[in-house]
Amino acid sequence: MSKLDSKIPEGPLKDKWTNYKDHIDVVNPANKRNIDVIVVGTGLAGGSAAASLAEMGYNVKAFCYQDSPRRAHSIAAQGGINAAKNYQNDGDSVYRLFYDTVKGGDYRAREANVYRLAEVSANIIDQCVAQGVPFARDYGGLLDNRSFGGVLVSRTFYAKGQTGQQLLLGAYSAMNRQIAKGKIAMHNRHEMLDLVIVDGKARGIIARNMITGEIERHSAHAVVIASGGYGNVFYLSTNAMGSNASAAWKIHKKGAYFANACYTQIHPTCIPRSGEHQSKLTLMSESLRNDGRIWVPKKLEDVKAIREKKIKPVQIAEQDRDYYLERRYPAYGNLVPRDVASRAAKERCDAGYGVNATGEAVFLDFATAIERYGKEKAMVSGIENPSKEKITELGEAVIEAKYGNLFQMYEKIVNENPYKTPMMIYPAVHYAMGGIWVDYNLMTTIPGCYAAGEANFSDHGANRLGASALMQGLADGYFVLPYTIGAYLAKEIRTGKIPTNTPEFDAAEKGVREQLEKLINNKGKKSVDYFHKKLGKVMWDNVGMSRNAAGLKKAMDEIAQIREEFWKDVFVPGEMNELNPELEKATRVADFLEFGEFFAVDALHRNESCGGHFREESVEMDGEQEGEAKRDDVNFRYVAAWEYTGNPREAILHKEELTFNDIELKQRSYK
Amino acid sequence: MNLTLKVWRQKNAKAKGALETYKLNDVSEHSSFLEMLDMLNEQLINEGNEPVAFDHDCREGICGMCSLYINGEAHGPDRAVTTCQLHMRMFKDGDTIYIEPWRAKALPVIKDLIVDRSALERIQHAGGYISVNTSGNTQDANAIPIRKSDADKAMDAASCIGCGACVATCKNSSAMLFVAAKVSQFSYLPQGQVERKERVLNMVHQMDKEGFGNCTNTGACEVECPKGISLEFIARMNREYFGASIVAEN
Ligand SMILES: Cc1cc2nc3c(=O)[nH]c(=O)nc-3n(C[C@H](O)[C@H](O)[C@H](O)COP(=O)(O)OP(=O)(O)OC[C@H]3O[C@@H](n4cnc5c(N)ncnc54)[C@H](O)[C@@H]3O)c2cc1C
Ligand code: SF4
Ligand code: FES
C-alpha cells in the first residue's frame, strides 16, 4: 500500500460525478437485505448515512456515545449551511461555491471532491425541507439567506441560531423511521473501542456498552466512521465534552492513513476563558462580525485601567481605540477569514493589549451598528429628530431581532449586557480540517472502511469557510456515501453473514479488555482530567495559532512525557463492568496523548504557512503583505497522509499531489 | 464561595439510593454549575473515592444531555436555561444545594444522577418523522411557499431539546409538552400533512404505553422548560388528537 490512489474519475470536472454515478456498480434490492453496514456516529454525517443506507435496504447498525442520536455535536452548529441555490439571484452557481471553497481552503483541497460537494449542495436543502426542517423564510414564504465570511454572495440557509440542531433533528427523524421499521439497530450509549479487520477488510468493531460495561462484538460487510472532529486534543475547545479522536485514531492504528492533522481551525469569536475551572469554550457565531467592530485600546494605560475595572470600555474615546482589523485589512475589515482574524487578535494580546484579567480578550463592539440601524429605523418610521436614546432603543431592537439568542447566551455566561458594553471575545479551537484520509469514494486505506463528516480529511483544505461543514456532513451521508459504498458492497453479495467467533474478533476484543483492565488496575494518584489539561496546555502553547520548529519539537517531547506519566500515575476509579465516566474519559485521553504528538509531527513537517496552519518561519518578508502567511506551493502542494508504524513520532509520510486544472493558484489577499 | 452539597448517590438501577453530603470550598462564582460538579469530582477522585455520575455533553444548552433537579427545580433556579448554562453566581456563599436526578416512572435512574430516557426515544420512533426517502430529485425547496408565521411557529416547536425536564417537573410525570412539540412542528408545515393523523395517534399511544402520566394542565412544564416550549402546543396537540380520533373511529 505504498502509492495513494485517490480514484478521481476521468473526464471534465463538471461531468465526473454524473458519469461516475452512471457507471458505478449497484447492489440489487434483494441482495441488500443480506448486507450489514456499521455506522459509528450519528451526527449529520453518520445520521444521514445511516438513514439513507437503511432506506436503500441495507441492515444498518448505528452507534453513538450519547443516550440518543439527536445529541451528536452537530446539534450545536449555529450559523447555517451553504448551498448553491442562487435563490437571491446574486450570481451564485456550483462553480462559484466550488471556487470559494477551494480558495478559502488555501488551495489544499482536492478539486474533484469539492466540485461534487458544490454540485449536491442544492439537493441537501430540498431534502431537508421535505423532512420538515423549519428554515427561516421571508414574508413571501420563500427561503431566506444570509452571508458568511470570505464570500461575496448570500448562500447560507439558516434556522434561527440553531441550524445544526434543526438539520440534525431532520436526519434523526429519518433515522427514527428506519429504527421503527427495524432497518437500523440503534446502539445508544455505546462506544467503539476498536476496528476488526479480517483478510485485509474492515469487518466489524468492538464496542463497550457504557451502561453495563459489557464488551460487545459487532460484524458487518463495511464500517463507516463518522465520529466527528478532534479539537478536544486541546482540552478547551468549542466541541462537546465527549468529542474525541478515538474512533479515528483506532482505525489509523489499524492501517488507515491520517491526513493533514495540523490543519485545525481556531475560531476568532468565542467567549474568553474566565479561570482555571473552565471546562469548555462557547462560540459566538461568525455572523456577529457582520455588525460588530473588533478593537483594543491604543494605550497600555487604558488597558490596565480596564483590567482593573477603573474605567469602562465605553469611556475610551474613539481616537484612543485601535480597530486593528480595519487598520490592517482595509478591504475586508472585520470580515477577514477566520484564520486571519484569530492571528490578529493573538498579535494584539501578545503585545499586551488584552482587555480582561487573563490578558486574552479583545472587544467586539456593536455600538456603531446600533446607532446606524437606529437612525435607519427612525427614518423609515418617519420619526423626525429622534433623540439619542430613541436611536439606541430602535437600534438595539434591530440587533436583538438578528442576534437575540447569541446575546442572551453571552449574558448568561459572562453576566454583562452586550447591548450596553462591548462583548469580549478570544479565539478558540473549533474545527478539524484534517482527519482520516479518504479517496473519492470516501474509503480509507483500509478496504471496506469509510470515513465521513468532520472525521475525514474532507473538502476544506487548510481552512474551512463558515457554513460549509454542515453542507459537507450531509453531502457525505445523504448523497455521496450511499452511492459509492454500493460499488464495494456489490462484490460482497455472496459473502454471507460475518461470524464474530473468529480469531480476529478474539484478538481485537482481547486488546480492548487489556487496555481497560490496565487503566482500572493502575490505581495511580492523578485524575484523567489532570493529564488532559496538561496536554491541552502544551498543545495550545506550542501547536496553537502560531507554530515554530523549536516549539513543535518541544511539544513532541513533552507530550511523550505526559503520556508516560499518564500510564504510570493515572487513577481511574470504579469498575469496568458498570457505567463509569472516568473510564470513558481515560480511553479517550489515552488516544489524545498519542494523537497530540502525531499532530505536532505533521505541523513540524509542513514548513509553510497555509490556512489554519501558521509557521513563524514562513511569512512574507516585505512588500504590501509583509508579516502575512506565506504559502509554499512549490514544496507543499500535497495532502500529507501518514501511515502508523507503532510510534506516533515515526509515522511514514505519503504524499497525494494536488493538481488544479480548473482554478488558478493565487496568494490570498485581504488587504 | 463555600458550599454544602446534598447529592443523590445510587450505585445502579437496582440499588437503593440516598443523599450524601459533601463540603466543597473555593468555588468561583464565574464557574458553571457543572464545572462546580467537576470540582467536586476532582476532590472525590483525589480522596480515592468514586466521582458522581451525571449526564452532559455540549455544555451550551443545546444537546439536551444534561439534566439534574436542583433545589427542587428541574435545571435549577434560573429560567430559560439548562443545567449546563446555570452559573454559580445564582448561589451564595454558605448555601446548601440539593442535587437529584429526574424522577419519573418512565425515566428510571441508571446511576447517581443519570436516568434512562429511552422511553422518549421510542415515542419519536412511533411517529416523529415525515416519510420521505433520500433522493437527489426531491422537489425544489421553494416549490411550496410556507407562510412566515407558520414557519416561525414550526421552528418554535422544533426547539425542544428532548431533555425531559417537563416530565421530571410534572406531578403526573406527563410527557405532553415533549410530544406536543414534535406533533405541532409537523402540523404547521405542508410536508407534515399527509401523515398528520396517524402521527398524533401513534405518538400519543406510545406515550401512554411507556407509563407517562396524564396531563392535567398544571402548566409546570412550561415554566421549567429550558427552551420555552409553550403550553399552546399542548392545546394544539389535543385538537389534533381529537380530530384524528374521530376519523379513526369512523
Ligand atoms: C459550536 C459549533 C458551531 C458550529 N457551527 C457551524 C455552522 O454554523 N455551520 C457549519 O457548517 N458548521 C458548523 N460547525 C461545524 C459542524 O457543526 C461540525 O463539523 C459537524 O456538525 C460535524 O458533524 P459530524 O457528523 O461529522 O460529527 P458530530 O456531529 O460531532 O458527531 C459525532 C458522532 O460520533 C459519535 N462518536 C464519536 N466517537 C465515538 C465512538 N468512539 N464510538 C461511538 N460513537 C462515537 C458521537 O456520539 C456522535 O454521534 C460548528 C461546530 C461547533 C462545535
Ligand atoms: S419540551 Fe422543554 S422540557 Fe420538555 S423535553 Fe423539550 S425542551 Fe425539555
Ligand atoms: S450539556 Fe448539552 S444541553 Fe446541557
Side-chain angles (χ1 to χ4, degrees):
Chain A
M1 219 194 300
S2 65
K3 197 174 162 293
L4 286 173
D5 183 0
S6 54
K7 304 216 171 77
I8 299 170
E10 294 299 320
L13 189 62
K14 65 178 184 22
D15 300 331
K16 282 184 198 290
W17 178 233
T18 314
N19 287 345
Y20 185 64
K21 270 196 307 186
D22 287 348
H23 297 102
I24 214 164
D25 284 345
V26 293
V27 183
N28 94 31
N31 284 330
K32 287 197 185 109
R33 280 195 290 268
N34 303 322
I35 291 186
D36 303 329
V37 182
I38 285 175
V39 180
V40 178
T42 60
L44 288 187
S48 57
S52 304
L53 292 168
E55 268 164 37
M56 293 168 87
Y58 299 109
N59 304 310
V60 174
K61 304 176 187 180
F63 295 80
C64 73
Y65 69 75
Q66 297 92 342
D67 70 341
S68 163
R70 69 182 294 159
R71 309 202 199 285
H73 199 49
S74 293
I75 201 94
Q78 302 169 346
I81 176 167
N82 290 330
K85 276 287 197 185
N86 194 27
Y87 283 160
Q88 305 306 325
N89 197 20
D90 53 6
D92 200 9
S93 64
V94 169
Y95 184 83
R96 192 179 286 276
L97 174 53
F98 155 74
Y99 177 86
D100 287 344
T101 308
V102 173
K103 177 186 171 202
D106 222 354
Y107 306 92
R108 290 292 177 266
R110 197 188 280 152
E111 268 193 342
N113 284 51
V114 180
Y115 196 86
R116 174 177 67 189
L117 174 66
E119 259 183 298
V120 302
S121 67
N123 292 339
I124 296 173
I125 305 302
D126 300 341
Q127 181 69 28
C128 293
V129 167
Q131 287 170 344
V133 170
F135 284 119
R137 288 176 182 266
D138 60 24
Y139 284 99
L142 301 180
L143 292 163
D144 196 19
N145 290 115
R146 53 165 65 141
S147 41
F148 257 61
V151 300
L152 301 166
V153 293
S154 244
R155 65 160 74 99
T156 305
F157 294 79
Y158 65 100
K160 278 199 175 162
Q162 291 139 257
T163 315
Q165 177 193 32
Q166 294 310 317
L167 296 174
L168 183 60
L169 293 181
Y172 169 65
S173 71
M175 284 185 79
N176 285 336
R177 179 169 160 238
Q178 300 304 323
I179 293 172
K181 285 185 184 164
K183 287 306 289 179
I184 296 180
M186 186 62 224
H187 300 269
N188 296 322
R189 292 201 200 263
H190 273 67
E191 185 148 15
M192 164 188 165
L193 293 179
D194 210 355
L195 178 76
V196 183
I197 296 181
V198 182
D199 295 334
K201 292 177 175 171
R203 289 302 197 198
I205 64 168
I206 306 294
R208 180 169 177 272
N209 176 328
M210 294 158 73
I211 298 178
T212 62
E214 210 172 318
I215 306 296
E216 301 172 352
R217 302 176 180 198
H218 297 273
S219 68
H221 298 85
V223 176
V224 179
I225 303 294
S227 53
Y230 51 74
N232 273 353
V233 66
F234 288 85
Y235 185 68
L236 289 179
S237 80
T238 63
N239 287 0
M241 299 304 286
S243 298
N244 66 86
S246 289
W249 188 246
K250 285 287 162 33
I251 68 166
H252 173 58
K253 289 174 87 168
K254 285 272 162 100
Y257 291 3
F258 206 108
N260 297 344
C262 75
Y263 294 156
T264 306
Q265 182 162 80
I266 315 246
H267 198 294
T269 54
C270 301
I271 300 179
R273 228 162 46 92
S274 68
E276 285 308 311
H277 53 264
Q278 194 93 24
S279 60
K280 77 152 274 157
L281 296 166
T282 303
L283 179 75
M284 287 284 104
S285 169
E286 172 159 302
S287 54
L288 292 174
R289 282 197 281 143
N290 280 300
D291 285 313
R293 297 177 72 195
I294 295 178
W295 64 278
V296 292
K298 271 187 190 156
K299 299 188 204 146
L300 280 170
E301 66 253 32
D302 285 346
V303 172
K304 188 157 175 278
I306 282 188
R307 285 190 193 172
E308 289 166 359
K309 297 204 188 309
K310 288 195 181 126
I311 55 168
K312 294 199 173 108
V314 289
Q315 290 170 293
I316 295 185
E318 208 46 40
Q319 70 271 15
D320 293 331
R321 300 175 176 197
D322 178 11
Y323 294 94
Y324 58 84
L325 287 177
E326 298 170 24
R327 166 170 62 78
R328 287 179 62 181
Y329 307 100
Y332 277 70
N334 293 295
L335 279 174
V336 291
R338 293 176 177 180
D339 52 336
V340 178
S342 291
R343 279 196 294 277
K346 178 174 158 46
E347 189 277 328
R348 281 294 80 195
C349 291
D350 286 354
Y353 292 88
V355 293
N356 72 352
T358 65
E360 293 193 333
V362 299
F363 291 126
L364 178 63
D365 197 332
F366 295 89
T368 312
I370 288 173
E371 193 184 327
R372 187 180 70 239
Y373 285 129
K375 281 184 181 155
E376 269 173 35
K377 190 80 191 176
M379 187 97 92
V380 293
S381 318
I383 305 171
E384 274 175 45
N385 299 322
S387 66
K388 202 165 176 319
E389 288 71 37
K390 189 70 197 172
I391 291 175
T392 307
E393 183 196 316
L394 293 170
E396 283 178 2
V398 175
I399 290 286
E400 186 181 353
K402 288 180 114 169
Y403 313 111
N405 65 326
L406 295 170
F407 275 54
Q408 187 237 12
M409 207 183 207
Y410 182 87
E411 190 166 355
K412 288 283 177 200
I413 294 177
V414 184
N415 203 24
E416 280 183 354
N417 179 348
Y419 295 97
K420 301 294 177 198
T421 184
M423 281 186 181
M424 282 187 285
I425 50 151
Y426 198 66
V429 174
H430 180 56
Y431 180 85
M433 276 79 67
I436 294 292
W437 185 90
V438 289
D439 64 15
Y440 190 74
N441 297 320
L442 305 185
M443 197 182 336
T444 69
T445 47
I446 301 171
C449 181
Y450 292 76
E454 196 174 335
N456 71 24
F457 86 111
S458 83
D459 305 342
H460 311 293
N463 175 54
R464 173 178 70 82
L465 291 179
S468 285
L470 301 182
M471 168 173 72
Q472 180 229 333
L474 290 180
D476 285 0
Y478 283 136
F479 297 116
V480 178
L481 195 78
Y483 283 102
T484 59
I485 205 170
Y488 176 81
L489 293 173
K491 299 186 190 71
E492 294 288 340
I493 53 177
R494 285 181 199 85
T495 309
K497 204 125 197 98
I498 312 284
T500 57
N501 57 349
T502 56
E504 291 85 352
F505 275 91
D506 291 347
E509 181 179 328
K510 185 159 167 278
V512 164
R513 277 187 191 282
E514 278 171 4
Q515 195 200 32
L516 295 174
E517 279 160 10
K518 201 166 155 197
L519 287 166
I520 291 280
N521 296 333
N522 203 49
K523 305 274 182 249
K525 294 230 156 26
K526 300 204 173 78
S527 69
V528 176
D529 279 353
Y530 166 86
F531 294 100
H532 196 178
K533 285 182 186 169
K534 213 164 156 177
L535 168 68
K537 186 160 171 20
V538 173
M539 290 295 296
W540 184 244
D541 289 346
N542 303 289
V543 201
M545 268 186 280
S546 172
R547 303 157 179 176
N548 62 53
L552 291 168
K553 285 182 193 146
K554 186 167 128 234
M556 282 158 59
D557 290 341
E558 285 179 7
I559 295 169
Q561 224 169 6
I562 301 171
R563 189 166 67 234
E564 211 183 296
E565 199 192 331
F566 172 87
W567 284 108
K568 262 195 214 128
D569 208 19
V570 70
F571 173 51
V572 182
E575 304 297 327
M576 247 174 86
N577 300 323
E578 61 173 350
L579 191 153
N580 188 341
E582 286 298 312
L583 181 61
E584 295 155 19
K585 276 199 278 188
T587 59
R588 296 171 194 155
V589 171
D591 290 329
F592 277 138
L593 284 167
E594 296 179 4
F595 175 70
E597 187 182 344
F598 162 73
F599 186 129
V601 170
D602 183 50
L604 179 64
H605 116 281
R606 190 169 285 277
N607 191 10
E608 67 162 344
S609 292
C610 167
H613 172 62
F614 184 77
R615 280 292 295 269
E616 287 157 19
E617 296 91 336
S618 187
V619 295
E620 299 288 347
M621 299 304 282
D622 44 36
E624 200 200 15
Q625 297 290 330
E626 189 184 335
E628 298 294 328
K630 186 175 172 196
R631 209 176 62 220
D632 177 354
D633 288 333
V634 176
N635 294 304
F636 291 100
R637 206 186 59 201
Y638 59 78
V639 175
W642 299 85
E643 180 183 354
Y644 186 74
T645 60
N647 180 343
R649 192 175 299 209
E650 282 151 21
I652 296 172
L653 174 64
H654 300 263
K655 297 178 185 178
E656 179 196 340
E657 295 295 335
L658 293 168
T659 45
F660 295 91
N661 300 320
D662 291 78
I663 265 187
E664 183 196 348
L665 264 75
K666 279 197 195 133
Q667 162 90 6
R668 287 193 310 164
S669 168
Y670 299 96
K671 291 270 182 191
Chain B
M1 56 178 100
N2 298 339
L3 303 167
T4 304
L5 305 172
K6 304 261 184 193
V7 185
W8 185 261
R9 301 302 306 259
Q10 181 173 337
K11 183 87 183 130
N12 54 47
K14 295 192 192 82
K16 221 170 116 245
L19 283 172
E20 296 274 343
T21 307
Y22 304 101
K23 294 269 180 209
L24 189 64
N25 295 339
D26 300 324
V27 177
S28 159
E29 57 156 359
H30 298 299
S31 69
S32 72
F33 194 84
L34 295 185
E35 285 163 354
M36 183 277 291
L37 285 183
D38 291 343
M39 254 181 96
L40 170 67
N41 279 346
E42 189 76 21
Q43 177 175 315
L44 289 170
I45 293 168
N46 288 336
E47 294 162 359
N49 293 319
E50 258 205 68
V52 180
F54 60 92
D55 264 332
H56 64 109
D57 200 31
C58 75
R59 293 207 178 182
E60 50 187 87
I62 193 76
C63 74
M65 192 83 182
C66 63
S67 47
L68 303 192
Y69 223 63
I70 301 163
N71 286 345
E73 284 188 86
H75 292 302
D78 206 354
R79 285 291 164 266
V81 295
T82 53
T83 292
C84 61
Q85 292 175 297
L86 182 64
H87 268 71
M88 292 313 291
R89 65 180 82 93
M90 295 296 291
F91 300 88
K92 310 186 296 298
D93 185 40
D95 274 1
T96 297
I97 308 176
Y98 285 82
I99 309 170
E100 295 170 84
W102 287 166
R103 296 203 189 275
K105 194 173 105 207
L107 309 178
V109 172
I110 298 175
K111 181 175 186 173
D112 294 345
L113 303 170
I114 296 183
V115 299
D116 179 354
R117 283 178 286 210
S118 41
L120 298 178
E121 291 296 291
R122 289 187 292 271
I123 296 176
Q124 295 294 341
H125 302 163
Y129 50 80
I130 289 170
S131 296
V132 51
N133 277 358
T134 312
S135 77
N137 49 23
T138 315
Q139 72 173 335
D140 186 84
N142 260 348
I144 314 172
I146 301 176
R147 266 194 6 220
K148 182 168 164 47
S149 55
D150 285 341
D152 289 348
K153 279 276 181 218
M155 178 65 212
D156 288 344
S159 302
C160 164
I161 58 173
C163 60
C166 46
V167 180
T169 212
C170 173
K171 70 179 171 58
N172 309 316
S173 297
S174 166
M176 281 292 269
L177 196 61
F178 169 79
V179 181
K182 196 61 245 113
V183 167
S184 299
Q185 176 196 342
F186 290 144
S187 77
Y188 280 111
L189 300 171
Q191 291 81 4
Q193 299 310 309
V194 178
E195 296 160 291
R196 186 168 180 173
K197 298 202 165 90
E198 300 90 298
R199 178 177 305 115
V200 65
L201 294 176
N202 291 342
M203 289 183 82
V204 170
H205 175 69
Q206 188 66 32
M207 169 173 78
D208 293 341
K209 213 167 104 183
E210 296 289 350
F212 291 98
N214 290 324
C215 172
T216 53
N217 281 313
T218 66
C221 52
E222 185 187 43
V223 177
E224 295 296 346
C225 170
K227 296 295 143 183
I229 303 294
S230 161
L231 282 180
E232 216 183 281
F233 295 128
I234 294 189
R236 187 176 176 92
M237 176 163 88
N238 282 332
R239 288 195 300 274
E240 294 278 313
Y241 184 78
F242 188 62
S245 311
I246 291 173
V247 177
E249 276 163 24
N250 282 341

